[in-house]
Amino acid sequence: MKYLGSNDLLLLTLLAAGDSYGYKLSRRIRELSQDKYFLKETTLYAALNRLEREGSVTSYAGTETNGKERTYFSITPQGRQQLSQLLEDWRETVEIAERFIEEGRVCHDQD
């Protein structure tokens, strides 16, 4: 099992649904988490730039807004493979955590 952090999982999952730009990705993460999780702009773009260097996403200039071009990000085939592995790792992590939680309940109930 390899842990790469949840940010990659969240970003790649959103990009698998369609190309997007940084602010929209950030806003969607906040919405889906019901404001319980957010990425600072520097963290968001550092993750996106790293994913691009690794070949998991590509970027391209999109439509202008207020005189500025937006940079859109798109998941690559390699990124889809990485997402598949991250989902598998996440499910395994949850399964392991649940075992520990259950063990804690059993031990607590025996006290």
Side-chain angles (χ1 to χ4, degrees):
M1 182 173 70
K2 185 164 91 173
Y3 177 76
L4 295 175
S6 59
N7 291 342
D8 290 359
L9 175 64
L10 299 178
L11 292 169
L12 291 173
T13 298
L14 291 174
L15 291 172
D19 296 1
S20 192
Y21 53 94
Y23 177 75
K24 188 174 179 182
L25 290 166
S26 176
R27 191 177 72 223
R28 191 70 180 129
I29 288 169
R30 271 190 114 131
E31 288 171 0
L32 289 172
S33 72
Q34 299 176 335
D35 287 324
K36 293 179 183 167
Y37 191 76
F38 69 95
L39 291 176
K40 292 181 181 178
E41 188 175 336
T42 54
T43 303
L44 172 71
Y45 284 103
L48 288 167
N49 290 329
R50 180 181 41 74
L51 287 167
E52 186 170 25
R53 282 191 312 274
E54 294 171 354
S56 297
V57 301
T58 58
S59 64
Y60 59 92
T63 58
E64 287 188 26
T65 304
N66 297 328
K68 294 166 77 175
E69 278 189 349
R70 282 190 174 142
T71 300
Y72 281 79
F73 295 89
S74 178
I75 192 168
T76 64
Q78 178 180 323
R80 289 186 187 281
Q81 289 177 340
Q82 181 181 359
L83 175 57
S84 179
Q85 184 62 55
L86 287 170
L87 288 168
E88 185 178 316
D89 291 349
W90 180 257
R91 288 182 183 111
E92 186 176 341
T93 299
V94 169
E95 180 183 317
I96 291 167
E98 286 175 347
R99 285 187 209 145
F100 277 85
I101 292 166
E102 186 58 35
E103 179 68 20
R105 285 189 192 128
V106 170
C107 291
H108 179 72
D109 290 344
Q110 293 176 358
D111 291 340

